[in-house]
Amino acid sequence: MIEWYDQYARDLPWRISPVFSKKGIKPDPYRVWISEIMLQQTSVKVATPFFLKFIEKWPNILSLHQTSETEVLALWSGLGYYRRARNLKACAEILLREYEGGFPIEEKKLLKLPGIGKYTSAAILTIAFGIPAIVVDGNVERIIARLFGLDGTISKLKPEIRTYMMNVSPSARPGDFAQAMMDLGATICKPLNPECMICPIRDSCKSYKDGTTNIIPRKTKKPIKTFRKGYIYLAVTKSNEIAMIVRPKSGLLGGMMCLPSSEWTEKKYPKNSPPFPGEWVALDQTIRHSFTHFDLELRMMVSSIFSVPNSYILKPFNFSLTEKVPSVMKKALVLGLKYFHF
DNA sequence: AATCCGGGGGA
DNA sequence: TCCCCAGGATT
């Protein structure tokens, strides 16, 4: 794996090239941390431009600490799982207060930090500090299951996979080994149609020998996606300002700035109940958006208004691209603002 | 142990 | 349309 990594490692902005890492040079822990958080349930392709923007804006922990959560959420807009961004900011606070702006290098302490779990603590320890740790992510689970021909769903195999991973992890260059596994999983040992013909560990692979790479790991049945509907309300003042709200910290799109909306109910539309009085008009077009657990259809209601209750935030009509607005709300704004000829 | 939490690339 | 992505926190 290490030999393969030396030749084929992906060139990624949070990494040190194996040319240097084999000499013991290590990447910036801050960059490793930011990348690992962004890469949680997010592909390299999607995370990379966000990482570059983030590092340009906040190149170190001090600069991150000095900015606001709102600014971080604004940059995170469109990346999803917004709690990650809020945890990042909270974590920076703790790192400065308790660890002089660095990272503790004990798993127990890392696990106490917000947003850092079993995987991310191991990744930081081994990639940023060269401390051997068992790094198990989705790639590793798939590779190990195939390599040893483990028959079962990933959730049942987890303890076994961890044991196998302990037994195959080298003590030399543990960080590069972890990253080599991820590269193998992303480019060769893919979920669908793995490229076994160019795999560096094919000769050791049980499922390749058995011809079972297409059924290992075994797929779990996924719950069916539900469908929800609701109303969303775009109110524009005479001075071209839009009424917005900030969603509660916990729950869907927590802490993000959104248009007011009704409940989102299963299958049928809920009662149309505008957040405040206005001359509400329904638009013909609806907004569709897909979340992990449900698909959403929103019917857009628009109104010109004179004033709104002061619990609402008024934003200029052209604000949305630089604020903490989630993708579904950007879609809604694009549609709704057409009505007002913006 | 389940469930919640976004969004998009790629097939 | 469906799968899956360098998972973590909550229940």
Side-chain angles (χ1 to χ4, degrees):
Chain A
M1 287 300 293
I2 293 291
E3 282 174 27
W4 178 80
Y5 186 73
D6 283 342
Q7 192 172 355
Y8 296 109
R10 286 178 291 175
D11 184 14
L12 302 173
W14 47 87
R15 275 189 182 173
I16 292 275
S17 154
V19 174
F20 297 107
S21 68
K22 74 166 81 170
K23 297 178 185 167
I25 298 173
K26 291 177 181 57
D28 178 358
Y30 174 77
R31 294 169 70 103
V32 172
W33 171 47
I34 302 300
S35 70
E36 290 301 342
I37 300 299
M38 283 189 175
L39 288 164
Q40 288 167 4
Q41 294 296 287
T42 306
S43 61
V44 166
K45 180 77 181 286
V46 173
T48 297
F50 284 86
F51 176 83
L52 293 173
K53 277 188 293 179
F54 195 104
I55 291 296
E56 187 180 3
K57 204 161 184 179
W58 306 299
N60 50 50
I61 193 155
L62 264 179
S63 55
L64 176 58
H65 181 252
Q66 283 163 2
T67 193
S68 65
E69 180 188 287
T70 293
E71 285 291 303
V72 179
L73 281 173
L75 188 144
W76 214 269
S77 168
L79 193 54
Y81 288 136
Y82 298 100
R83 186 169 57 184
R84 294 184 294 178
R86 289 187 280 119
N87 279 341
L88 210 53
K89 191 68 178 76
C91 192
E93 177 84 29
I94 297 170
L95 292 176
L96 274 167
R97 195 174 60 238
E98 298 184 17
Y99 298 103
E100 298 169 350
F103 286 88
I105 53 172
E106 298 156 55
E107 187 193 33
K108 240 183 113 174
K109 293 183 180 173
L110 282 170
L111 289 177
K112 288 183 180 168
L113 298 171
I116 297 183
K118 195 86 176 159
Y119 163 76
T120 305
S121 66
I124 291 174
L125 283 175
T126 193
I127 296 171
F129 298 102
I131 298 169
I134 307 305
V135 180
V136 181
D137 72 328
N139 291 303
V140 168
E141 287 169 345
R142 186 172 58 257
I143 294 167
I144 295 292
R146 284 176 176 160
L147 185 58
F148 296 99
L150 309 180
D151 187 12
T153 62
I154 290 296
S155 71
K156 287 200 182 298
L157 290 173
K158 273 183 194 292
E160 199 176 343
I161 286 171
R162 181 165 290 277
T163 304
Y164 276 104
M165 189 58 178
M166 288 178 66
N167 291 332
V168 299
S169 294
S171 52
R173 297 176 62 185
D176 283 349
F177 175 70
Q179 294 180 95
M181 292 292 278
M182 309 205 189
D183 284 11
L184 190 77
T187 64
I188 292 179
C189 197
K190 298 174 292 185
L192 203 61
N193 305 324
E195 310 211 33
C196 301
M197 299 315 288
I198 56 170
C199 178
I201 57 174
R202 181 187 60 200
D203 293 346
S204 311
C205 183
K206 179 79 160 55
S207 75
Y208 173 72
K209 198 190 313 175
D210 297 345
T212 56
T213 54
N214 55 335
I215 58 166
I216 290 180
R218 186 162 292 184
K219 307 273 185 279
T220 53
K221 283 199 193 64
K222 288 208 305 220
I224 46 159
K225 248 189 188 182
T226 57
F227 197 61
R228 299 186 198 175
K229 298 182 176 184
Y231 292 91
I232 188 159
Y233 303 95
L234 175 63
V236 177
T237 68
K238 293 298 177 197
S239 49
N240 294 334
E241 291 180 309
I242 299 166
M244 305 288 292
I245 52 119
V246 173
R247 292 177 68 100
K249 297 275 185 191
S250 63
L252 189 70
L253 306 176
M256 298 299 279
M257 192 172 293
C258 297
L259 288 167
S261 68
S262 66
E263 297 294 291
W264 301 346
T265 50
E266 296 284 323
K267 292 189 284 190
K268 2 187 300 190
Y269 278 98
K271 185 172 180 295
N272 178 9
S273 49
F276 42 79
E279 296 182 9
W280 294 100
V281 175
L283 298 192
D284 295 333
Q285 251 182 299
T286 57
I287 298 113
R288 289 170 170 275
H289 190 75
S290 185
F291 293 97
T292 303
H293 296 282
F294 63 94
D295 291 322
L296 179 66
E297 180 180 289
L298 294 173
R299 187 168 292 167
M300 170 68 76
M301 304 294 292
V302 296
S303 176
S304 291
I305 41 134
F306 290 99
S307 65
V308 299
N310 55 18
S311 55
Y312 292 84
I313 303 163
L314 284 175
K315 302 298 287 186
F317 75 93
N318 58 354
F319 80 108
S320 75
L321 297 180
T322 58
E323 293 254 6
K324 48 174 184 177
V325 177
S327 291
V328 60
M329 293 299 155
K330 288 186 176 173
K331 287 185 193 174
L333 285 164
V334 166
L335 172 60
L337 289 175
K338 277 189 204 162
Y339 176 83
F340 294 95
H341 306 293
F342 288 133

